[in-house]
Amino acid sequence: MRTRVQRVQEHGQAIAEMGIVTLLFVLLTLGIVDFGRMLMVMNVVTHAARDGARTAALTSPADWPTSQGALVAEVQRQIATVTATPFTVTRNCTVLNGRPQASVEVQGNEPFLFRFVGLWGGDVTIDRTATFRYEGSQSNCP
């Protein structure tokens, strides 16, 4: 027959085990949320760079200097839908086989939402470049 002291000790052990399991479950859940959010931000940055390069490829190279601000603003607007972190947007023009190519490069650092010392933390560097061939008949870069 168990005494009252033995039952109280077993109850205390169960509470301690439940605390450990709950802590591990919360850490795992927060890690999954943070990882998923980081993948979403990377995906939006990739698509924003692609959309910017496509827009630049459809713009006449002679008009590139005047459309630079609008293109950068649109790419940054798309990125701002998922993060407040500033990203730098650079548009370039290169010539390959006599045809100009428009490329847009997006760079920035995105911080993790949950920073646990010793487990993970810091920022993730996101660097995406998209390149499209210019669709018109002009064959020089500005």
Side-chain angles (χ1 to χ4, degrees):
M1 184 175 211
R2 291 184 185 178
T3 65
R4 180 166 170 76
V5 173
Q6 286 177 326
R7 284 185 291 195
V8 170
Q9 288 175 345
E10 290 174 3
H11 183 68
Q13 178 184 354
I15 291 174
E17 289 173 356
M18 184 62 184
I20 292 170
V21 170
T22 302
L23 178 64
L24 292 176
F25 179 72
V26 167
L27 286 176
L28 181 65
T29 302
L30 293 178
I32 290 170
V33 167
D34 214 4
F35 184 73
R37 181 187 156 278
M38 198 59 66
L39 287 178
M40 179 190 64
V41 170
M42 287 180 176
N43 191 31
V44 168
V45 169
T46 301
H47 285 281
R50 188 196 66 212
D51 290 347
R54 184 68 183 147
T55 301
L58 293 174
T59 306
S60 170
D63 295 335
W64 282 1
T66 58
S67 65
Q68 172 77 15
L71 178 107
V72 169
E74 178 59 23
V75 171
Q76 289 177 338
R77 186 196 63 76
Q78 288 183 20
I79 295 170
T81 61
V82 293
T83 182
T85 305
F87 280 78
T88 58
V89 179
T90 309
R91 181 172 67 178
N92 299 313
C93 178
T94 58
V95 177
L96 181 66
N97 297 331
R99 304 275 307 205
Q101 294 186 9
S103 67
V104 171
E105 182 176 13
V106 180
Q107 296 176 328
N109 293 323
E110 180 66 18
F112 283 106
L113 287 176
F114 310 107
R115 296 175 190 230
F116 298 106
V117 179
L119 297 176
W120 73 82
D123 297 343
V124 173
T125 301
I126 301 174
D127 183 8
R128 299 290 188 261
T129 303
T131 304
F132 278 89
R133 178 180 68 186
Y134 174 63
E135 298 294 330
S137 60
Q138 199 169 355
S139 63
N140 59 346
C141 288

